[in-house]
Amino acid sequence: MRSARPLYAAFIFFVALAANLPHLLSPAHATSSRNWPTPPVSLDKQRVQISDSATGTTADHRKFEALKQPFTSGPEVTKACLSCHTETGHQFMRNIHWTWDYVNPKTGQQLGKRYLINNFCTNSRGNEGMCAQCHAGYGWKDENFDFTNQNNIDCLVCHDSTGTYYKTPNSNGSAACSVMFEGLAPIDWKKVAQHVELPKRANCGTCHFQGGGGDNVKHGDLSTALTNPPRELDVHMSPEGENFACTACHITREHVWAGSRYDIDPRDTEGVGKPGQRRDVASCESCHGLEPHPSNSIAAIKLNDHVSSVACQTCHIPTFARGGVATMIDWDWRTAGKTRNGEGYHEHGYIQGNGEHRYVYKSIKGNFTYDENLVPLYAWFDGQMQYTTIDTRFDLNKQPIAINSFTGSRYDGRSRIWPFKRMHTWQPADIGYGTLVYNHLWGEDSDSYWGNYDMSKSIAHGMKAFNLPYSGQFGFIETYSYWPITHMVAPKEQALKCSACHQKDSRLAGVSGIYLPGRDGNHWLDVFAIVALVSAATGITGHSLLRKFGHQGEPHA
Amino acid sequence: MISRFVLIYTRFERFWHWMQMALIFMLMFTGFAIHGIHHWVSFSTAVTLHTICALLLILLWIFAIFWHFTTGTWKHYIPTRNGIIKVARFYFYGIFKGERHPYRKAYWRKHNPLQALAYLSLKLMLFPVIWVSGLLYLLYFVWRDHPQAADWLYGIAMIHTGAAYALLVFVVVHVYMLTTGHSFVEHLRPMFNGFDEIELSAEEEAYLLRDQPSHIRSV
């Protein structure tokens, strides 16, 4: 069957050509303009965000006796949830929202938020009192957290539909920090517990839009602008479009989600499953198939050829950090720790598209550079990230150090050209041993950086807490991190035009391993052609001049 | 021998010639747009038109090949050494002296030996190179998933581009040749009305006058 595919494809190609001759005379954009812009979905569909197959509900949680209690804490609510959802606790404890722990089966690398170091706030390890606000559990502030107690699961952060639920740090931190979380309105636990629904964009966004310490700081393609995005920002998530909740693509089986940065499928070759078949992938192809463009014009047929080399995101996300929320592109920890009258401070300095101010300096973090509407970096990507972990020794002379490096090429049959955000940071490191460090940022003690501003103490503390080798010499190194861009899919009429890549000095100027018509050619062939043409022209000129002035005999007819 | 205007380019042959000219012109224009030499049309439009023109040209060629073989016209292109030196000498020397073109078109041989050889090479060498490389290019979707596909595409594209440049040189020389021997217009006219001045034997004239009277006119 497989061997017959090319012939079949060729047959279909020519049949499609014959059947569509009237369309073929017009290029893609003209042909499809009749369908553009994509008509909005019906109002009926807009009421509820579209999740996976669990969309809709069969129960009214207000009627459950178990939830008619005067709850005073999160774990009490969780216990009530689990009294009906008997298997959910065990199921949930397997997913990385709970474990923060992932061992890459291919590289054997110990990954997960619990262990990794990034080039934003750097490490959660040892700072769980603050960072584990985004752990889907209650009370993780140090190594003593009980990962086996299912009552510690936080159901509400994902399932609250009232918008009144919030989380605060699990430990106080330094006095200078803890004041920020005082005076918040108490949570009405009973009300929240009785108003649980499937997660909405805002639920996931509580953490995922705020990664790196603020709105869109980390990813570049995940910001609060996606809570209620206009169609131009994200055609799938917009209420004017498909009104997808995150889980419409990040589908769930037993509280385990599809689509993780730790294990990316850069090229889905399975496409749409059979009806009713579970799609355990968050790829574009799982809905749009392997021939995603309609075969109603030559340009569209040609576009389908691109799926072998180009990720959908490359053309369909023309820029990231759209929608008025900027992303951070540069972080300089070297300037952290400046104080005024012995106190930390911050400076405004960037006004983003939606009018909000962003800090460009914070004593606790250093200097930031923000930008928005960014053209991504493009590169071949095989889905495999290689992380620089706390154990990795690197050569200090080879900076910038890639926090996560990746490989890929046209030849491995798996890679495609993907868009990335590249983050540049000057961050603390052990410059004696050439390793990254666990920095003790958050704590009530006098070593924590946030409050005391002494990095020699905070790093020494952070490394000692986990029995890690530390030379005692800290300094700052330049690092890059790479973030595959996959959200903020624009409507199709705003996808990149061919010429965005098919010309000299295009977006793909730096990508090798492909023949890109319009960009590529053979210099010597072009030179040879010019020489040949010039020779022909010279020969003709010479010949005609000789004819005009050279002949002595009678002129012919 | 008698000089007469005889219909030597039939309606299909003229249609074939001018359609081919128009399609090749379009293919060159759009092909060079794709290659990035000019940006007078968008890449998408260029690819669309290039593909359509290529498919039409292939269709035309299929008809033309059939026509060549069923009508026996292919015999006009059989290479011959007879007279080729004289013709070459004319273009390289005699033409400057104002000599008369040494070749006389015959009813059964409408191209001079050098011209026939040029057209034959075009048909047997350059066109097939463009055909085959272009079809492989067009059928990229069949073999695109092979890991080496990008390298092959580069090779195919370079052959295709090289052949296109060669064809461009041919076109330039071809048009210039119209100015040699007779006047430009006299060379061009037969490709419009089909009639060219031919030296006929008495038997040929008698045959034409009797059996194909519409194919012969007096000079």
Side-chain angles (χ1 to χ4, degrees):
Chain A
M1 200 53 210
R2 267 200 98 68
S3 58
R5 209 172 160 268
L7 276 176
Y8 175 71
F11 174 73
I12 291 293
F13 177 74
F14 287 110
V15 168
L17 277 182
N20 289 291
L21 266 175
H23 298 286
L24 297 178
L25 293 164
S26 52
H29 50 86
T31 307
S32 307
S33 62
R34 284 185 300 268
N35 305 325
W36 287 357
T38 317
V41 292
S42 68
L43 282 173
D44 179 47
K45 228 171 144 187
Q46 283 186 35
R47 276 209 314 267
V48 185
Q49 289 184 14
I50 307 299
S51 298
D52 60 5
S53 54
T55 303
T57 180
T58 54
D60 182 345
H61 284 80
R62 288 171 303 179
K63 295 178 180 168
F64 285 110
E65 290 304 322
L67 298 180
K68 293 177 179 170
Q69 293 184 50
F71 299 112
T72 57
S73 74
E76 286 174 34
V77 176
T78 299
K79 204 172 167 185
C81 298
L82 296 176
S83 68
C84 291
H85 298 276
T86 56
E87 305 311 305
T88 310
H90 302 292
Q91 290 168 353
F92 185 81
M93 283 171 160
R94 292 201 305 267
N95 95 66
I96 57 173
H97 290 92
W98 175 258
T99 62
W100 280 25
D101 181 337
Y102 182 85
V103 176
N104 186 316
K106 290 167 197 136
T107 63
Q109 278 200 307
Q110 174 65 64
L111 310 177
K113 296 183 96 61
R114 194 175 173 183
Y115 302 101
L116 280 183
I117 294 167
N118 62 35
N119 60 355
F120 295 89
C121 291
T122 66
N123 53 300
S124 69
R125 196 122 209 236
N127 301 312
E128 288 87 353
M130 174 70 187
C131 303
Q133 278 181 96
C134 274
H135 179 243
Y138 292 113
W140 182 6
K141 55 177 190 283
D142 53 35
E143 294 297 296
N144 300 319
F145 181 70
D146 185 359
F147 283 95
T148 62
N149 181 357
Q150 59 178 8
N151 290 340
N152 282 341
I153 295 169
D154 183 352
C155 306
L156 298 176
V157 69
C158 303
H159 290 284
D160 166 48
S161 69
T162 66
T164 61
Y165 180 78
Y166 62 86
K167 299 188 81 164
T168 53
N170 295 326
S171 66
N172 288 333
S174 103
C177 300
S178 51
V179 293
M180 292 192 294
F181 305 98
E182 288 169 0
L184 295 167
I187 294 168
D188 183 344
W189 294 100
K190 186 172 151 189
K191 183 184 164 197
V192 174
Q194 289 184 347
H195 291 84
V196 285
E197 283 179 12
L198 288 170
K200 297 192 179 69
R201 292 184 294 275
N203 294 93
C204 306
T206 306
C207 287
H208 292 283
F209 294 163
Q210 306 288 341
D215 196 354
N216 205 18
V217 164
K218 190 182 275 177
H219 289 270
D221 64 343
L222 285 175
S223 78
T224 54
L226 291 172
T227 307
N228 195 18
R231 197 174 156 276
E232 299 71 43
L233 179 57
D234 192 299
V235 73
H236 298 112
M237 293 194 239
S238 173
E240 304 156 30
E242 297 290 346
N243 201 22
F244 279 179
C246 306
T247 50
C249 298
H250 293 275
I251 54 159
T252 316
R253 178 190 282 176
E254 297 176 350
H255 274 86
V256 177
W257 286 265
S260 162
R261 272 191 311 111
Y262 291 139
D263 185 19
I264 290 174
D265 186 358
R267 182 179 170 196
D268 183 350
T269 51
E270 298 298 318
V272 186
K274 293 190 180 80
Q277 197 180 42
R278 195 72 198 209
R279 298 175 295 111
D280 284 329
V281 283
S283 70
C284 308
E285 290 87 344
S286 67
C287 287
H288 292 282
L290 300 173
E291 307 266 302
H293 306 96
S295 303
N296 61 1
S297 75
I298 284 171
I301 293 170
K302 236 10 240 178
L303 284 178
N304 280 336
D305 281 348
H306 289 66
V307 301
S308 295
S309 313
V310 182
C312 310
Q313 289 86 340
T314 294
C315 301
H316 289 277
I317 308 175
T319 55
F320 65 94
R322 303 202 308 276
V325 180
T327 189
M328 196 183 288
I329 56 165
D330 192 285
W331 184 325
D332 192 346
W333 275 95
R334 292 175 301 180
T335 56
K338 289 189 275 189
T339 54
R340 284 177 186 160
N341 306 321
E343 304 233 341
Y345 64 97
H346 44 245
E347 290 169 4
H348 290 291
Y350 184 88
I351 300 169
Q352 62 188 18
N354 67 3
E356 285 177 20
H357 291 255
R358 305 296 295 256
Y359 295 122
V360 293
Y361 178 77
K362 280 183 179 178
S363 297
I364 60 167
K365 295 179 175 179
N367 277 93
F368 314 128
T369 309
Y370 283 94
D371 208 347
E372 47 200 308
N373 305 314
L374 290 160
V375 172
L377 171 86
Y378 298 98
W380 287 101
F381 180 42
D382 61 11
Q384 196 63 66
M385 287 289 184
Q386 188 74 31
Y387 283 81
T388 298
T389 64
I390 189 73
D391 305 317
T392 315
R393 297 240 170 160
F394 45 78
D395 184 349
L396 287 162
N397 297 316
K398 288 186 180 160
Q399 295 184 50
I401 304 295
I403 294 288
N404 57 337
S405 60
F406 59 90
T407 50
S409 90
R410 180 64 166 84
Y411 302 107
D412 59 28
R414 178 173 157 77
S415 298
R416 293 200 289 185
I417 297 165
W418 271 74
F420 291 90
K421 173 193 166 180
R422 186 174 73 184
M423 175 70 188
H424 176 263
T425 300
W426 281 96
Q427 70 187 91
D430 181 340
I431 56 165
Y433 290 154
T435 65
L436 297 175
V437 291
Y438 283 153
N439 198 352
H440 177 55
L441 300 167
W442 183 266
E444 297 77 40
D445 54 85
S446 62
D447 288 347
S448 61
Y449 187 74
W450 291 351
N452 301 297
Y453 304 112
D454 184 342
M455 217 172 270
S456 62
K457 280 162 75 180
S458 63
I459 291 173
H461 183 117
M463 297 300 274
K464 186 159 177 271
F466 300 98
N467 295 318
L468 292 162
Y470 176 51
S471 70
Q473 265 185 290
F474 87 90
F476 295 91
I477 59 162
E478 267 189 293
T479 60
Y480 280 143
S481 63
Y482 298 92
W483 302 84
I485 297 296
T486 191
H487 305 101
M488 299 189 174
V489 175
K492 57 188 168 188
E493 61 271 22
Q494 288 170 17
L496 292 184
K497 297 283 172 282
C498 308
S499 56
C501 301
H502 287 279
Q503 62 169 316
K504 306 233 166 5
D505 305 319
S506 70
R507 285 183 180 229
L508 295 190
V511 176
S512 60
I514 36 168
Y515 174 71
L516 189 54
R519 183 196 74 166
D520 294 336
N522 184 300
H523 176 68
W524 292 110
L525 180 64
D526 293 343
V527 168
F528 182 78
I530 291 166
V531 170
L533 273 173
V534 169
S535 307
T538 313
I540 284 169
T541 314
H543 198 264
S544 61
L545 284 175
L546 275 173
R547 280 165 64 198
K548 197 168 161 73
F549 300 111
H551 66 71
Q552 297 140 6
E554 65 190 281
H556 59 72
Chain B
M1 297 297 258
I2 317 135
S3 256
R4 290 284 181 272
F5 276 117
V6 179
L7 182 76
I8 55 164
Y9 299 111
T10 56
R11 191 171 293 152
F12 175 78
E13 192 169 12
R14 283 176 278 145
F15 169 77
W16 165 53
H17 175 266
W18 291 116
M19 273 303 284
Q20 181 165 268
M21 186 219 73
L23 289 169
I24 287 177
F25 175 81
M26 278 301 290
L27 284 161
M28 292 234 176
F29 177 75
T30 53
F32 289 137
I34 292 167
H35 194 57
I37 289 172
H38 66 82
H39 300 282
W40 291 326
V41 286
S42 76
F43 192 86
S44 162
T45 307
V47 168
T48 303
L49 293 177
H50 198 77
T51 309
I52 291 167
C53 291
L55 293 174
L56 289 176
L57 189 56
I58 286 171
L59 188 69
L60 184 67
W61 270 333
I62 289 169
F63 278 110
I65 289 167
F66 180 76
W67 174 83
H68 272 90
F69 284 105
T70 50
T71 59
T73 320
W74 63 277
K75 290 174 190 155
H76 286 270
Y77 300 96
I78 298 172
T80 173
R81 260 178 289 186
N82 186 17
I84 198 165
I85 303 291
K86 278 186 193 165
V87 173
R89 186 195 160 276
F90 168 76
Y91 286 124
F92 284 102
Y93 181 73
I95 190 169
F96 308 131
K97 301 274 187 195
E99 285 174 13
R100 195 161 178 244
H101 199 294
Y103 186 70
R104 296 288 157 270
K105 287 192 184 194
Y107 181 52
W108 45 270
R109 187 81 190 184
K110 56 198 175 197
H111 306 306
N112 79 49
L114 204 60
Q115 195 182 7
L117 190 65
Y119 294 167
L120 185 69
S121 338
L122 188 71
K123 288 171 182 217
L124 291 189
M125 298 198 296
L126 201 49
F127 281 170
V129 168
I130 290 222
W131 268 57
V132 172
S133 60
L135 272 173
L136 287 172
Y137 206 140
L138 211 54
L139 292 172
Y140 175 66
F141 63 91
V142 175
W143 48 274
R144 70 186 188 206
D145 286 332
H146 194 280
Q148 304 290 327
D151 294 340
W152 296 344
L153 186 64
Y154 175 76
I156 289 165
M158 286 311 99
I159 291 168
H160 197 66
T161 313
Y165 286 142
L167 195 58
L168 182 61
V169 172
F170 170 84
V171 168
V172 169
V173 176
H174 182 61
V175 171
Y176 175 68
M177 292 302 267
L178 294 183
T179 68
T180 65
H182 300 280
S183 75
F184 187 77
V185 173
E186 280 173 353
H187 270 301
L188 215 50
R189 196 193 301 123
M191 281 324 288
F192 283 105
N193 66 13
F195 285 87
D196 203 354
E197 195 177 341
I198 299 289
E199 306 228 325
L200 295 175
S201 64
E203 293 83 356
E204 284 169 339
E205 189 196 21
Y207 161 76
L208 286 167
L209 285 171
R210 184 184 160 80
D211 288 338
Q212 305 272 320
S214 64
H215 287 197
I216 183 163
R217 294 172 190 170
S218 53
V219 175

